[in-house]
Amino acid sequence: MSESVKHIIEELSKQIEDHNYNYYVVAKPVISDYEFDKMLEELIKLEKDHPEFLSPDSPSQRVGGQITKEFKTVKHKYPMLSLGNTYSEEDLTDFDDRIKKALNTDYEYVCELKYDGVAIGLTYKDGILVQAVTRGDGEKGDDVTTNVKTIKSIPIKLRGHGYPKEFEIRGEIFMPRKVFDEINKEREEIAEQPLANPRNAAAGTLKMQDSAVVAKRNLDCFLYFISSDELPYQNHFDNLKAAKHWGFKISEHMKKASDIQEIFKYLNQWDTGRHNLEFDIDGVVIKINSYEQQRILGFTAKSPRWAIAYKFKTQRVSTILESISYQVGRTGAITPVANLKPVLLAGTTVKRASLHNSDIIEKLDVRVGDTVFVEKGGEIIPKIVGVDESQRHADSPKTIYITQCPECDTALVRSEDEAKYYCPNEMGCPPQVKGKMEHFVSRRALDIDSLGAETIAQLYDAGLIKNCADIYELKKENVLKIARMAEKSVNNLLEGIKASKKVPFERVLYGIGIRHIGETTAKKLAYYFKNIDALKNASLEQLIEVGDIGETTAKSILDYFVDENNAAIIEKLKANGLQFELSDEALINSSDKLKDLTFVVSGVFSKFSRDDLKKAIEQNGGKNSGSISGKTNYVIAGENMGPEKHKKAEKLGVPIISEDDFIKMIGTDTVLNTEDILN
Ligand code: IVH
């Protein structure tokens, strides 16, 4: 029996990894997302029921869940060098001349894109990913293996054959633009500052403590450098092609070039072509293909002599600023937008550019009628970087920032620590009111997909809905009159609304849109307070006690409940049957028995999967930590707990307990998956 379970787990793991490869590396999925999710769910369940067969290279690892409190610093086996940069074709010609002179024979280049992300070194032993290290200072970097395992295009276990027994492959982890835009949209919804650009977002994500959050952020990775004595070919190009068969994501835009003219062609193609890619590049990289010739050319102290990076110049044009308009976001944040005389920039006609906030307008002293310089760097939205003051009319008036909301005429406010002005009229300012409802019905909140932004706008304009509680009092005949919808669609809409009444408390809490409360915080609060009334009555100190909730968030919760309008909306939602307390099932599994206690979980367990053990700790009010320190209260040790951890716990006098001790601590009536434990 158990042998066959082992076999099923192995087969399922292999199939899932094949699908991962088809989807993320080859970009040709052969099954639907739904079918894929079902397979992964089945694997996770089998591994939970049979933790003895849970392998560290299982595709279930990609879901994340492990917490890293501090990233270990490790020394690179080979220093992680950077590349010499050039910005001009003349510099490239000089580079080619130097190569010609040094080699004095035929040679071939490989041209690649220069991905704008975070450099990573991946070490594989016997086909298994064992370590992932960031560049750091080039000599030493951070061990981010746990987080890297959640990146679906990075193989945890290699495919095919012919790879060296041990080798390191380097590449660039990046965040696709689409993912970046989605994250910023969500951040805007909960009134968080947007992330600056995809590169910073990728770097920040890699250093997050909770790998489950990293897994959700959909990072990606191209590999571009492999080193080992046992590679199948004696040149870069063929080895990277081979690496593709081992499961790595190698760019299809890598191209051989036999002379400088072909290099120019490649860089000109990508100087404009880059804007159509789904990720950012900031140049191209040119490398000598033959390893023998690379050896002859060697290295300077900082970079190889056989490669060079050509960085694209940021494109800049000048045009006239015709007017400034002000947009009001869903959270009330005001964004000034420059309306420009249309101008061609990097292959597209630009009519608008972001002016970000009032400080930028002040700093640039930009005025309507000015000739302004517009740039398009890595970002999608072009920006104004300066003013040609020599072209300015003598009588041009200074820009005076608006003081009233352009949508509802309320006086704007700005708190000291924020760059933007806000319209405080949350309940009456149309884009804010509509935005709040859009957030409320969104997939991760109440998930009413039959109620889109357009319908919300129509119903709002007709005066049928003014807040999210009104959604539950919509009458079919009124909707039919207003929205341009057929009866079937209206029925569908009302069904969707009805179904949302079953959505669990934590998602309702996220949906009501308290500033600074994202999905994770909503979940934490729901488990901690268990119902809305307890949360509503909590003091600032009690809120901060929850852990990971700072003063800004705590104050925002207090402000929310003080507002009578919000209290009325909650009452109305309650009266309509929405969930404002944890479900019985969640309640059984939660307590505050572990309040103020910090745990480190280490090793493999027989009654819990490691993720469930951590979840049980959180649901019972405790905290998880990745490393043992003076603040650790208990180490829960499973099979194969590392000897180093054991030593450290003993040295610091931290009690080491078994999973059975832990079960006793929380009481058998409160553990997750009770039947598993009792079996
Ligand atoms: S090769 C020893 N190839 O750019 C050669 N680097 O400014 C190592 N990068 O450190 C680098 N795309 O982080 C190489 N196709 C590519 C690249 C690339 C992006 C990054 C990498 C490197 C930096 C140099």
Side-chain angles (χ1 to χ4, degrees):
M1 156 72 188
S2 77
E3 265 313 297
S4 75
V5 173
K6 183 167 179 254
H7 181 71
I8 296 171
I9 288 185
E10 282 170 2
E11 260 311 296
L12 202 50
S13 299
K14 195 177 162 308
Q15 284 178 20
I16 291 174
E17 272 310 87
D18 280 351
H19 289 307
N20 255 333
Y21 177 73
N22 288 330
Y23 190 99
Y24 293 100
V25 179
V26 189
K28 282 194 188 122
V30 289
I31 58 168
S32 71
D33 289 2
Y34 177 78
E35 285 168 294
F36 181 86
D37 290 346
K38 284 280 152 222
M39 286 173 84
L40 188 59
E41 251 170 50
E42 192 187 335
L43 175 67
I44 292 173
K45 173 146 196 341
L46 281 171
E47 287 176 344
K48 196 155 89 188
D49 293 346
H50 302 275
E52 66 277 20
F53 301 136
L54 171 66
S55 150
D57 51 283
S58 162
S60 61
Q61 298 273 308
R62 300 198 183 279
V63 180
Q66 261 173 280
I67 309 284
T68 315
K69 265 277 172 276
E70 260 170 60
F71 293 95
K72 219 171 49 199
T73 306
V74 281
K75 195 167 179 317
H76 290 295
K77 196 163 169 202
Y78 316 97
M80 237 166 156
L81 300 176
S82 90
L83 294 173
N85 282 332
T86 74
Y87 290 87
S88 68
E89 296 195 351
E90 295 83 73
D91 284 351
L92 273 183
T93 310
D94 289 349
F95 168 75
D96 185 46
D97 287 344
R98 286 198 300 275
I99 301 262
K100 209 176 280 168
K101 208 161 144 204
L103 293 179
N104 199 19
T105 175
D106 286 349
Y107 52 90
E108 182 178 55
Y109 288 115
V110 178
C111 302
E112 294 167 19
L113 304 181
K114 185 171 180 330
Y115 317 102
D116 195 9
V118 184
I120 193 83
L122 309 172
T123 302
Y124 286 81
K125 278 189 192 152
D126 296 315
I128 306 288
L129 171 65
V130 291
Q131 197 173 50
V133 185
T134 61
R135 172 210 291 281
D137 62 5
E139 292 291 328
K140 287 186 259 80
D142 289 325
D143 182 331
V144 289
T145 316
T146 311
N147 285 346
V148 163
K149 279 189 180 172
T150 69
I151 302 175
K152 323 285 188 301
S153 56
I154 293 183
I156 296 181
K157 191 176 184 174
L158 297 184
R159 312 164 58 80
H161 43 78
Y163 45 78
K165 195 168 163 47
E166 181 173 345
F167 67 98
E168 188 184 337
I169 186 162
R170 290 182 179 174
E172 203 86 352
I173 290 179
F174 63 95
M175 182 177 280
R177 281 195 202 126
K178 198 164 147 239
V179 177
F180 173 77
D181 291 342
E182 275 164 13
I183 291 175
N184 268 355
K185 198 166 142 228
E186 196 185 323
R187 288 178 78 90
E188 200 200 320
E189 276 171 11
I190 58 164
E192 295 278 334
Q193 282 278 76
L195 305 172
N197 55 48
R199 185 188 348 98
N200 288 4
T205 302
L206 258 197
K207 298 295 289 289
M208 286 177 131
Q209 294 182 342
D210 187 348
S211 61
V213 181
V214 181
K216 289 202 189 102
R217 284 201 157 188
N218 294 322
L219 296 175
D220 207 338
C221 180
F222 278 118
L223 285 309
Y224 50 62
F225 182 71
I226 178 165
S227 60
S228 161
D229 295 335
E230 303 166 54
L231 286 166
Y233 301 99
Q234 276 313 302
N235 70 75
H236 174 70
F237 190 87
D238 290 335
N239 281 327
L240 281 195
K241 288 268 172 202
K244 182 163 183 174
H245 295 291
W246 303 335
F248 294 106
K249 185 158 170 156
I250 309 292
S251 171
E252 59 189 274
H253 302 306
M254 175 172 76
K255 202 168 185 296
K256 285 188 197 171
S258 50
D259 60 36
I260 191 85
Q261 291 309 325
E262 285 185 34
I263 292 177
F264 290 161
K265 211 167 123 199
Y266 186 84
L267 55 95
N268 286 326
Q269 177 196 344
W270 287 108
D271 198 359
T272 43
R274 66 184 155 134
H275 299 291
N276 302 324
L277 289 168
E278 286 169 350
F279 48 86
D280 286 348
I281 60 171
D282 58 347
V284 301
V285 178
I286 295 117
K287 301 173 182 171
I288 281 286
N289 193 20
S290 142
Y291 287 159
E292 177 54 25
Q293 292 180 337
Q294 287 186 5
R295 257 191 301 275
I296 294 171
L297 291 160
F299 293 83
T300 69
K302 279 193 290 189
S303 51
R305 285 201 189 88
W306 45 263
I308 197 158
Y310 172 89
K311 292 249 235 172
F312 296 133
K313 281 189 252 354
T314 311
Q315 301 197 29
R316 172 186 282 207
V317 287
S318 67
T319 185
I320 308 286
L321 173 63
E322 293 185 328
S323 66
I324 298 176
S325 44
Y326 297 86
Q327 285 178 346
V328 187
R330 292 170 179 203
T331 55
I334 308 290
T335 306
V337 178
N339 300 306
L340 306 167
K341 181 163 178 240
V343 61
L344 202 63
L345 174 62
T348 48
T349 306
V350 176
K351 295 185 204 128
R352 285 146 73 82
S354 172
L355 276 166
H356 300 289
N357 55 49
S358 60
D359 292 345
I360 305 258
I361 294 183
E362 182 112 347
K363 195 169 130 225
L364 296 173
D365 185 20
V366 54
R367 306 176 186 194
V368 171
D370 272 350
T371 298
V372 292
F373 299 114
V374 185
E375 267 189 7
K376 196 161 180 176
E379 314 78 21
I380 299 167
I381 304 170
K383 57 175 185 249
I384 294 190
V385 291
V387 173
D388 184 352
E389 290 192 14
S390 68
Q391 307 271 344
R392 179 176 281 165
H393 294 287
D395 56 354
S396 121
K398 205 171 159 59
T399 300
I400 298 175
Y401 205 76
I402 51 167
T403 55
Q404 310 298 121
C405 174
E407 298 275 348
C408 70
D409 207 33
T410 304
L412 300 179
V413 294
R414 179 182 177 179
S415 52
E416 265 173 37
D417 52 348
E418 310 233 17
K420 290 195 168 189
Y421 277 91
Y422 279 85
C423 164
N425 182 18
E426 269 182 68
M427 295 288 170
C429 180
Q432 295 193 61
V433 176
K434 285 185 272 184
K436 262 188 193 301
M437 288 193 270
E438 282 170 26
H439 170 73
F440 182 78
V441 302
S442 65
R443 196 167 50 85
R444 296 213 272 264
L446 278 289
D447 192 22
I448 313 179
D449 69 351
S450 47
L451 183 54
E454 208 181 314
T455 313
I456 289 181
Q458 283 173 349
L459 298 172
Y460 172 79
D461 291 343
L464 288 184
I465 50 173
K466 294 194 190 66
N467 58 53
C468 41
D470 292 340
I471 293 173
Y472 294 89
E473 305 201 338
L474 281 170
K475 299 275 175 301
K476 184 172 167 182
E477 57 276 17
N478 293 338
V479 182
L480 270 173
K481 256 187 258 162
I482 306 300
R484 285 185 291 272
M485 283 166 113
E487 180 158 356
K488 199 169 157 213
S489 315
V490 176
N491 288 341
N492 194 16
L493 165 66
L494 296 176
E495 273 307 306
I497 294 174
K498 193 168 150 208
S500 75
K501 294 183 184 180
K502 294 211 171 68
V503 165
F505 174 42
E506 57 271 29
R507 277 169 51 195
V508 178
L509 189 56
Y510 168 62
I512 56 176
I514 306 176
R515 275 185 97 182
H516 305 297
I517 307 290
E519 255 182 302
T520 317
T521 314
K523 217 181 251 173
K524 213 167 238 172
L525 290 167
Y527 279 116
Y528 192 90
F529 290 103
K530 305 190 172 47
N531 63 59
I532 194 92
D533 294 323
L535 174 64
K536 184 179 169 180
N537 295 328
S539 65
L540 187 82
E541 293 71 31
Q542 283 169 325
L543 287 168
I544 287 174
E545 244 178 59
V546 177
D548 294 338
I549 291 192
E551 210 167 304
T552 317
T553 309
K555 278 194 181 137
S556 154
I557 298 171
L558 294 181
D559 288 349
Y560 180 88
F561 288 109
V562 162
D563 189 320
E564 280 173 15
N565 289 313
N566 290 330
I569 291 173
I570 302 252
E571 285 314 311
K572 205 159 146 190
L573 288 172
K574 261 189 195 167
N576 274 291
L578 274 82
Q579 306 300 314
F580 279 102
E581 51 188 62
L582 276 189
S583 65
D584 288 346
E585 191 201 351
L587 211 52
I588 290 170
N589 291 327
S590 75
S591 79
D592 57 4
K593 289 181 184 166
L594 308 180
K595 199 167 155 236
D596 299 329
L597 297 180
T598 300
F599 291 80
V600 171
V601 173
S602 179
V604 179
F605 299 90
S606 58
K607 294 175 180 165
F608 280 102
S609 78
R610 207 143 64 164
D611 285 352
D612 279 348
L613 194 49
K614 288 181 173 168
K615 201 161 150 197
I617 291 170
E618 274 176 18
Q619 292 192 343
N620 287 285
K623 276 192 211 161
N624 283 298
S625 165
S627 58
I628 302 167
S629 72
K631 289 188 189 139
T632 313
N633 296 95
Y634 293 98
V635 174
I636 311 180
E639 292 270 315
N640 302 334
M641 168 171 162
E644 285 304 315
K645 279 209 166 122
H646 211 280
K647 249 191 253 160
K648 190 154 183 198
E650 278 181 348
K651 195 170 147 216
L652 293 170
V654 178
I656 301 176
I657 62 170
S658 68
E659 65 183 319
D660 286 331
D661 298 330
F662 174 73
I663 292 169
K664 278 186 210 132
M665 240 172 160
I666 52 176
T668 39
D669 58 335
T670 61
V671 287
L672 280 171
N673 304 311
T674 319
E675 36 337 306
D676 286 353
I677 310 291
L678 299 179
N679 277 339

